[in-house]
Amino acid sequence: MAGTLRGIFTVRWKPTKDLAVMALSIILVVGALYTATVVVTPDVGGGMPYFFLYAGLMAVVLGVGLPLFWMVIVRKRPLADLGLTFKNLRRSLALQTLLAILLYITGLKIQAESFETVIPLVALALCIGFFEAVFWRGWVLNRLEEAFGILPGIVAGSVLYSIYHVGYGMALDEMVFLFFIGIMFAVVFKLTGSIFILWPVFQPMGQLITLSKEGLDLPLIASVGFIEALAVMVALVWLAQKYLRRYQQKSLTGNPSFYLKEAVL
C-alpha cells in the first residue's frame, strides 16, 4: 500500500522525444478540430469537408495513426503502451459496464426523438470515443506519466484534455467542467491501463448523452461515415500489431541472444 502511494505521488523529470512528438500531435489535433468546427463548420458542402477534417484527419490520421506510427514503427514499442491491450479485459469490461450503469441511473439519459436520430449519434460516439481513449489516455496520459509521474501526468493530461475542447468553440466554464471529466477518465483508465475500461461503453455513453442534450441532428447516412472511420482506426491498430510481430520475428531470427533476453525479462 505504501509503495503504491509513493508511486502515485512520485514526481520525476524525464522528458523525451516521445513527449515532444506527443506535444506536436496535440497541436495538430486541436488545429484540425478547430478548422473543422469553427473555420469550415458542419454546414459547408453538405458536411463532407467537416467530416473529413473531423473524423478523417483529426481522429484517424492524427489521433490514432500518428501515435501508432511513432510508437510502433519508429520506437518499436508494444501496443500496450498505447492502452491497446487485452490484458485485464474481463475486469475492464465489467468495470466500464458498471460505470455506465451508474451514469445512467444518476438521471443522465439520452434525449432523442427517434431511432433515426440516435443511430448517427451512437456511431459518432463510438468513433470519437475510440479516438479519445487511444489518444488522450493511451498516448497523452501514458507519455506524461513516463515523463513526470502518475499524479502530475493525470493533472497535466486533464488540463490538456480540457484545452482541446477549444477546438469545439467551448466556453471557459465548460472547459473547467471538462477538466474534472478528464480527471475521471484518467483515473478510471489507470485502474487497468487498457482503453477497454473506457470504450466501447462508458466513455461513448457519456458523449452520447452530451450530444443528445445539445440537440445535434445528423442524417442517418452520417452513421456510415463514422463507422467506416472507426473501421479504419481498428485496421490501423491491426496493421501496427502485424508489423510489430514481423519485426519481433526478424529480431529473433537475426539475433539468437534475443531469446535469452526475453526469458530474463
Side-chain angles (χ1 to χ4, degrees):
M1 183 65 178
T4 301
L5 289 175
R6 280 197 300 271
I8 293 173
F9 290 99
T10 297
V11 177
R12 53 179 171 264
W13 179 260
K14 294 182 179 179
T16 63
K17 288 183 180 179
D18 294 346
L19 192 67
V21 174
M22 181 217 76
L24 175 61
S25 70
I26 292 176
I27 294 171
L28 294 174
V29 160
V30 174
L33 177 58
Y34 186 85
T35 302
T37 306
V38 179
V39 179
V40 174
T41 77
D43 301 323
V44 174
M48 291 304 293
Y50 169 81
F51 172 79
F52 283 116
L53 284 168
Y54 181 55
L57 180 60
M58 183 197 73
V60 176
V61 177
L62 299 174
V64 175
L66 178 56
L68 282 172
F69 174 78
W70 179 257
M71 293 294 285
V72 175
I73 306 300
V74 178
R75 300 279 281 113
K76 306 297 187 295
R77 293 181 60 171
L79 291 176
D81 288 351
L82 286 171
L84 293 160
T85 174
F86 290 128
K87 185 179 180 181
N88 299 319
L89 180 61
R90 290 183 180 179
R91 193 196 325 173
S92 295
L93 292 176
L95 284 172
Q96 78 159 305
T97 301
L98 176 60
L99 290 167
I101 292 171
L102 291 174
L103 185 64
Y104 184 82
I105 64 177
T106 56
L108 298 173
K109 296 180 175 60
I110 299 167
Q111 301 174 5
E113 296 179 359
S114 64
F115 177 81
E116 289 78 9
T117 305
V118 173
I119 293 302
L121 297 182
V122 170
L124 188 158
L126 287 172
C127 175
I128 301 305
F130 185 81
F131 145 70
E132 288 198 356
V134 174
F135 186 83
W136 288 107
R137 260 48 77 174
W139 171 236
V140 173
L141 179 61
N142 280 345
R143 303 296 74 76
L144 289 170
E145 179 187 334
E146 289 172 355
F148 309 118
I150 295 177
L151 187 59
I154 289 175
V155 173
S158 300
V159 169
L160 292 170
Y161 178 69
S162 64
I163 292 174
Y164 147 75
H165 288 82
V166 166
Y168 286 106
M170 290 190 176
L172 181 60
D173 58 336
E174 294 177 299
M175 290 167 60
V176 171
F177 172 74
L178 285 163
F179 165 76
F180 292 102
I181 295 296
I183 292 285
M184 177 187 68
F185 284 143
V187 171
V188 170
F189 173 75
K190 292 306 299 178
L191 293 177
T192 63
S194 169
I195 68 161
F196 296 109
I197 197 171
L198 297 172
W199 188 90
V201 181
F202 179 46
Q203 185 170 330
M205 177 177 281
Q207 292 171 322
L208 183 58
I209 290 168
T210 301
L211 291 171
S212 64
K213 282 187 174 182
E214 290 176 349
L216 181 63
D217 186 17
L218 294 174
L220 187 59
I221 191 65
S223 59
V224 176
F226 285 113
I227 290 171
E228 288 177 343
L230 175 59
V232 172
M233 287 188 282
V234 173
L236 288 176
V237 173
W238 178 78
L239 289 171
Q241 178 63 16
K242 188 175 181 179
Y243 169 84
L244 196 58
R245 285 177 179 172
R246 286 184 176 179
Y247 172 78
Q248 291 170 340
Q249 288 172 354
K250 287 182 179 180
S251 298
L252 290 171
T253 304
N255 183 14
S257 65
F258 188 83
Y259 289 101
L260 179 60
K261 292 178 183 178
E262 287 292 300
V264 173
L265 293 174

